[in-house]
Amino acid sequence: MSYETILYETADNVATITLNRPDSLNAFNDQMIGETTDAFKQASRDKAVRCVVITGSGRGFSSGQDLADVQAREGDFSIGDHLRHGYHRLIKQMVRLEKPIVAAVNGVAAGAGCGVALAADLRLASDKASFILAFSRVGLIPDSGTNWLLPRIIGYGRAYELAITADRLTADKALEWGVVNRVVPHDQLMETVAAWTGPLATGATLAYGLTKRAMHRAFDQSLAEALDYEAYLQETAARSHDFSEGVAAFVEKRPAEFRGK
Ligand code: T3D
């Protein structure tokens, strides 16, 4: 599929998705929601891809739902159906993708753009990045998975405060609160991302994916269920090439050559 609202590139086992509507700070229209979802699907199916980066072109990461499109809606428009058929597919595709997703947050991430950044597994931020739960500014509640993801990352009190104030969370505060993993000077963002994705894309991809599945599933499990599920997934990890190779490399005192399977 060729894309018009995003860029999709693969190199060195890393797929990079760039949201590419810079004039609106990469606001999501329906086409961009569909294309981004498709790009994550493509990254999931491509065995050569072992890590995915999502970023924005221009000065924003994403300003969320395109409000010009919202204003142009006519008739009996169902926002619930719009979410179900659009953002929900995108967020589920990201959370179910069993490869690490790194959000390179280059600027503001607002509304659904914030939800998409939160659905990544790791967030590396430019010092110009910020997060705004802009939903309440237009009389909406957080969506795109934000109600599920954000309280898990920063706790209910902080998440609720950000939701009802729609205050801008700066990059430094986001680091302090654990929303982002690192903050770097803006001009060093993509080289920092490459320094992270290089090892991720040559690492134990299967184990990284199963870890993501185990941690997400554990949110809804009792301790006993989580222990059982860990043991089940560990059987799969232990049957991998990477497990044999990792153990052999340790014993032979040499670097492991993982294949991601
Ligand atoms: O189905 C559904 O609809 C439900 C889903 C809802 C999910 C949501 O995401 S709801 C929340 C939607 N997003 C917002 O409310 C954020 C709106 N944008 C802003 O508040 C500000 O733009 C920012 C705080 C993000 C950045 O401010 P600033 O001062 O850096 O930039 P700016 O000047 O406001 O924006 C630059 C341009 O982008 C500007 O266009 P112009 O004047 O240069 O032609 C602005 O209109 C445009 N833009 C920014 N955000 C959006 C947008 N255009 C359309 N939609 C946007 N969301």
Side-chain angles (χ1 to χ4, degrees):
M1 181 173 175
S2 67
Y3 300 125
E4 292 173 344
T5 61
I6 63 166
L7 306 174
Y8 183 81
E9 295 157 314
T10 57
D12 303 325
N13 302 110
V14 179
T16 301
I17 299 168
T18 306
L19 306 172
N20 194 27
R21 302 186 70 225
D23 291 350
S24 60
L25 304 177
N26 306 313
F28 277 96
N29 60 11
D30 288 355
Q31 187 179 355
M32 195 166 91
I33 298 169
E35 290 185 352
T36 311
T37 308
D38 190 83
F40 276 109
K41 228 178 263 175
Q42 197 172 320
S44 164
R45 289 186 188 134
D46 186 345
K47 289 192 171 45
V49 169
R50 293 166 63 183
C51 178
V52 184
V53 173
I54 181 162
T55 191
S57 68
R59 71 177 175 89
F61 176 79
S62 169
S63 59
Q65 171 62 37
D66 189 313
L67 293 177
D69 281 11
V70 170
Q71 201 179 27
R73 288 171 182 167
E74 288 173 346
D76 196 13
F77 187 89
S78 165
I79 206 163
D81 283 346
H82 186 248
L83 289 171
R84 281 187 276 274
H85 298 135
Y87 291 109
H88 292 191
R89 288 184 181 154
L90 170 57
I91 299 299
K92 284 182 195 165
Q93 187 67 43
M94 292 178 73
V95 171
R96 288 176 186 162
L97 177 63
E98 296 204 344
K99 301 173 185 182
I101 303 174
V102 177
V105 189
N106 54 304
V108 65
C114 184
V116 168
L118 296 174
D121 304 300
L122 300 164
R123 279 161 292 282
L124 304 177
S126 141
D127 54 5
K128 293 188 177 168
S130 60
F131 299 83
I132 308 178
L133 299 195
F135 309 91
S136 63
R137 288 189 188 172
V138 292
L140 291 179
I141 70 161
D143 60 28
S144 311
T146 308
N147 294 307
W148 193 83
L149 292 159
L150 192 59
R152 284 174 160 83
I153 299 170
I154 63 174
Y156 171 76
R158 284 173 168 170
Y160 189 69
E161 177 189 335
L162 289 179
I164 61 166
T165 61
D167 281 348
R168 188 185 290 265
L169 184 70
T170 61
D172 284 344
K173 201 73 178 168
L175 181 65
E176 189 190 322
W177 284 11
V179 174
V180 300
N181 298 77
R182 298 286 187 282
V183 177
V184 297
H186 187 72
D187 60 357
Q188 290 170 25
L189 179 61
M190 293 322 281
E191 71 188 69
T192 305
V193 169
W196 280 59
T197 56
L200 288 177
T202 51
T205 312
L206 178 76
Y208 299 161
L210 294 176
T211 304
K212 178 169 173 174
R213 203 198 306 177
M215 288 190 176
H216 277 286
R217 189 69 69 88
F219 285 135
D220 304 318
Q221 288 175 321
S222 66
L223 174 62
E225 288 165 341
L227 289 170
D228 267 354
Y229 197 57
E230 271 175 15
Y232 164 74
L233 294 180
Q234 200 66 297
E235 292 277 9
T236 305
R239 279 195 294 271
S240 67
H241 160 274
D242 288 348
F243 176 56
S244 314
E245 167 61 9
V247 173
F250 177 79
V251 172
E252 293 161 20
K253 301 189 188 303
R254 61 172 175 79
E257 287 180 29
F258 290 126
R259 292 188 198 152
K261 50 191 177 185

